[in-house]
Amino acid sequence: MDKYVICGGNRLTGTVEVSGAKNAAVAIIPAAILADEPCIIENIPNISDVSIIIKILTQIGASVKMINKSTIEVDSSKIMEPTVPYEMARHMRASYYFLGALLGKFNRARVSMPGGCDLGDRPIDQHLKCFKALGAEYTIEHGMVGLKAEKLVGAQVYFDIVTVGATINAMLSAVKAKGLTVIENAAKEPHIVDLANFLNSMGADIMGAGTDVIKIRGVDYLKGARYAIIPDQIEAGTYMMAIAATKGDAIIKNVIPKHLESITAKLEKTGVNVEEYDDSIRVWVDKPLVKTNVKTMPHPGFPTDMQPQMAALLTIAEGTSIITEGIWDNRFRYVDELRRMGADISVDGKVAVISGTDKLTGAPVRATDLRAGAALLIAGLIAEGTTEIEDIFHIERGYEEIETKLKKLGANIVKKAIPGSTLAKAL
Ligand code: EPZ
């Protein structure tokens, strides 16, 4: 097992390039199952969640060719049995996209109940409600979700809450269903639009993605497509926080500034300067950071996946900031770790109160999930002395070459093997 060792105090300067979006890639790669011809997908991030998705695809019989480091060709014509093996899928959340994609293609699917970051209760009732509305029966037995439909027929689906995963699964399962499906109260995240664009480039008929009503008219045939995944909004946001926290001055390349608006707005409130260009932004700090309040919400609100990183920044902002988590029940597990570094944070349910301190100090800490790990990296970059972060497999699930990218920006960070540890069970 490895750990990151960071000596804090260096300002981040220079240029960093953002990779393709994790949460788009983990939906778009399984979506290639629906195509009746091979698809080429570009701008794929080299992260462990994507490797697992590709492994699952090949295990169920698809052929996946690496064309280069960030481009794959997926040919799903040889998939015979729409069952995803239990061990492969149960550790990651996005494995549930195989339910929608396999159901949409074969009218049946068997996939293990999804895992993923432990952020509190993560039911899949809205996914099942949608599959049922389209005509599928479901079973949950021995940890596996089974779906079966005689045929899929378009339906009206109203989601009780705004859910990214169920909105994506609704598109995947309805794209070849007979007739019209209308999804109401749909999620509007950039990766929802990206998936719709990918499916439409294959010949699907999806309208309204990015609004809260999505209309899908089923088609019989989906041709192959060549498609490039959007840049990762959360990776970009994480570098924005890291640059700001170190009082640095750097350019972040390969971004869609529009996707970063809610993050930019909050950073500007704390006194950070952000300048937008066509596909890059400059972030710099020339005055003391000040408090702000943040509430996480579905897009276009402030993303929950940026909440821990924002908290890390606010630990050293003047004044008292309040963070309210509006999506997940339990996304403050990283707070104990930040406290070890001298952060002054109290948590009551879904609300964290952060009193800015002059400095953090390095400490041994543990990444409790992916974005928590990113927050600890940011804290390590600003802390006095050395921070050692363990359980970094969480971080590597979602950030491509983060150590190399941070080093290039001037951070003092190395990855080291933990003496005496066995190989990480990296799933
Ligand atoms: C996606 O998770 C992301 N994961 C998460 O990113 C992200 O935090 C989340 O969306 C919200 O933006 C992937 O894209 C793989 P939801 P998802 O369905 O789809 C409740 C990261 O750090 N809900 O939008 O699982 C649920 O409990 C990760 O990259 C139901 O009640 O999230 C939550 O409170 C972590 N029933 C809310 O909806 C359901 O059937 C939003 O969840 C589904 C969800």
Side-chain angles (χ1 to χ4, degrees), residues 22-24 26 49 92-97 116-117 119-128 159 161-168 187 189 191 234 297-299 303-306 325-329 331 350 369-371 397-398:
K22 165 179 99 76
N23 288 344
V26 295
D49 266 13
M92 72 177 302
R93 195 73 196 159
S95 58
Y96 57 29
Y97 295 142
C117 289
L119 311 173
D121 194 21
R122 298 188 77 173
I124 58 163
D125 57 309
Q126 301 300 305
H127 302 242
L128 298 175
F159 287 130
I161 29 107
V162 178
T163 143
V164 172
T167 303
I168 286 178
E189 269 63 7
H191 35 293
I234 304 301
M297 288 198 277
H299 190 79
T304 172
D305 296 345
M306 284 304 304
E325 173 56 42
I327 309 289
W328 299 110
D329 292 339
R331 205 170 197 171
K350 290 175 140 196
D369 64 58
L370 167 59
R371 308 303 172 188
R397 283 188 40 217

Side-chain angles (χ1 to χ4, degrees), residues 133-135 151-157 174 176-182 216 218:
L134 295 172
K151 63 173 181 178
L152 295 169
V153 180
Q156 184 107 0
V157 182
K176 285 183 152 182
K178 193 128 208 81
L180 181 69
T181 298
V182 180
I216 305 160

Side-chain angles (χ1 to χ4, degrees), residues 82 99 102-103 106-110 131-132 134-139 145-152:
L99 280 171
L102 291 169
L103 178 69
F106 299 101
N107 287 355
R108 63 199 171 88
R110 259 170 67 75
F131 298 143
K132 198 159 177 240
L134 295 172
E137 298 290 327
Y138 67 83
T139 53
V145 184
L147 296 171
K148 210 179 200 173
E150 197 106 315
K151 63 173 181 178
L152 295 169

Side-chain angles (χ1 to χ4, degrees), residues 4 18-27 29 43-55 66 69-70 92 94 229 232 235 239 370-371 392-402 405 426-427:
Y4 288 131
V18 167
S19 303
K22 165 179 99 76
N23 288 344
V26 295
I29 300 170
N43 206 28
I44 289 185
N46 184 8
I47 51 176
S48 65
D49 266 13
V50 162
S51 312
I52 296 170
I53 290 277
I54 292 175
K55 257 191 217 149
M66 288 305 293
K69 187 173 152 270
S70 60
M92 72 177 302
I229 288 171
D232 197 308
E235 188 193 5
Y239 286 112
L370 167 59
R371 308 303 172 188
I392 62 170
F393 63 89
H394 284 297
I395 301 173
E396 292 175 345
R397 283 188 40 217
Y399 290 94
E400 177 173 325
E401 293 176 359
I402 192 159
K405 291 185 186 185
L427 286 183

Side-chain angles (χ1 to χ4, degrees), residues 398-415:
Y399 290 94
E400 177 173 325
E401 293 176 359
I402 192 159
E403 173 212 353
T404 313
K405 291 185 186 185
L406 284 172
K407 251 191 208 146
K408 202 176 149 230
L409 286 170
N412 184 342
I413 175 172
V414 284
K415 185 153 100 174

